[in-house]
Amino acid sequence: MTQAIEEKNKALVLEAFETLFNKRDLAGAERFWSPNYIQHSAHIPPGRQGLFDLVKKAPEAMRYQNALIMAEGNFLMLHGRYSHIGQPANWIVVDIVRIDSGRLAEHWDIIQDEATRASSLSGLPMFGDTFPE
């Protein structure tokens, strides 16, 4: 797989996440997610519709911020923060996606509550350079 394809995949996934999670443009997001989307997350119902329904029900203030994205062929890993999710803490998430035919075809995730300054044993924030307010 060439570096150019991996860079194209990174741009595609970042645009997809922006469209769905931040703009909440469900109709626009359909062009990024495969109709046969496979969901492995324990927190999200199956399929593309399960993901879209989750976003519909999420608080309007919910936002996704990306800190890092890596590609290995058609697999990508994103390190990001989901804030204002209706939980006591933001979520720091590693999302893993597989691209097939130019669409997000499969997803896995690893989720942690974001540590505060008081709860961080390392003394370092989990996302960026600052702790959540």
Side-chain angles (χ1 to χ4, degrees), residues 61-111:
M62 180 185 76
R63 291 293 174 265
Y64 173 78
Q65 297 169 271
N66 182 265
L68 176 68
I69 185 168
M70 299 182 294
E72 177 72 31
N74 285 333
F75 287 89
L76 294 94
M77 292 177 53
L78 299 90
H79 179 248
R81 173 194 280 148
Y82 291 85
S83 59
H84 309 290
I85 57 174
Q87 302 288 325
N90 296 329
W91 280 353
I92 304 302
V93 179
V94 173
D95 287 292
I96 304 163
V97 297
R98 180 178 61 84
I99 303 292
D100 185 32
S101 301
R103 288 182 156 186
L104 284 80
E106 200 163 4
H107 171 262
W108 301 259
D109 58 32
I110 302 159
I111 301 173

Side-chain angles (χ1 to χ4, degrees), residues 1 21 28 37 41 51 53-54 58 60 63 67 72 83 88 91-92 94 100 102 105 117 119 122 129:
M1 183 101 9
F21 297 111
Y37 180 67
S41 176
L51 174 63
D53 287 346
L54 178 91
E60 281 293 320
R63 291 293 174 265
E72 177 72 31
S83 59
W91 280 353
I92 304 302
V94 173
D100 185 32
R117 183 179 305 278
S119 67
S122 71
D129 297 330

Side-chain angles (χ1 to χ4, degrees), residues 22-68:
N22 294 339
K23 293 180 180 175
R24 300 175 82 104
D25 178 0
L26 300 175
E30 286 184 5
R31 75 179 197 261
F32 295 105
W33 271 268
S34 169
N36 302 317
Y37 180 67
I38 301 166
Q39 182 61 261
H40 295 276
S41 176
H43 300 280
I44 305 171
R48 179 172 78 175
Q49 195 58 51
L51 174 63
F52 289 4
D53 287 346
L54 178 91
V55 171
K56 280 187 220 175
K57 295 174 188 170
E60 281 293 320
M62 180 185 76
R63 291 293 174 265
Y64 173 78
Q65 297 169 271
N66 182 265
L68 176 68

